[in-house]
Amino acid sequence: MRLFVALDLSPAQREALALLRGSLPGVQWVPSENYHLTLRFIGEITDRYVMEEIDLALSRLSWKPFNVSFHGADLREGMTADSLMIGIERSEALATLQTQVESVLRRAGCPPAKRRFQPSVTLGHLATTQRADAARWVQRHNLFRSEPMPVHHVTLFESLRGYDQHVYVARAEYAWHPDMPLLPEDE
């Protein structure tokens, strides 16, 4: 199973972001049902014991509900393809939750994350030769702002290879528990 932990978006947020897709030729737009905010990519897990440890670790997450807001467009450059992104307003609550996810997964035996956390939602992918067109798209959507979205749970997703796109299947949700004490910061 190829796994990642993310914030699943509300239908209203998906719809608002889907409206930003448009007439940019050559872009492979991500289906709106795949929009999410990745907190931690885990990778390929084949060992059932490790999967159970991940599930147990994520069930121990504790945080207070908070809101995330989407704002601004960006282009993330890659070696062979670039990605059109919508940014997430940085917040201490989001950073704390992501740090906690990283911490519990490392305690469960997952190697450290390979990339620094950059909160965003990917809307599409395009060839590196289209950077000038992509830059114009970013300029057109750079002032985008969304209504705040409440965060009450995190989701463990499995990434399945579809015909021409990945399909993300929610495998488990870990809800905020008001009676659970907050975990201490990472040692």
Side-chain angles (χ1 to χ4, degrees), residues 53-139:
E53 288 296 309
I54 290 169
D55 181 54
L56 180 61
L58 293 172
S59 72
R60 293 180 175 154
L61 289 173
S62 59
W63 74 92
K64 291 182 180 179
F66 61 95
N67 292 326
V68 293
S69 295
F70 302 89
H71 75 91
D74 199 6
L75 175 67
R76 188 165 300 153
E77 296 181 0
M79 297 293 282
T80 58
D82 294 338
S83 298
L84 297 172
M85 319 290 288
I86 292 299
I88 308 297
E89 191 172 297
R90 292 196 182 268
S91 73
E92 188 174 326
L94 177 60
T96 299
L97 177 59
Q98 192 281 326
T99 299
Q100 193 180 142
V101 168
E102 176 67 26
S103 178
V104 300
L105 288 176
R106 288 180 68 182
R107 287 186 211 144
C110 296
K114 293 181 181 180
R115 293 183 180 183
R116 187 173 62 89
F117 179 56
Q118 295 180 324
S120 59
V121 176
T122 302
L123 297 187
H125 305 283
L126 66 161
T128 57
T129 56
Q130 295 179 274
R131 285 189 179 148
D133 293 333
R136 286 189 288 280
W137 182 90
V138 168
Q139 284 180 325

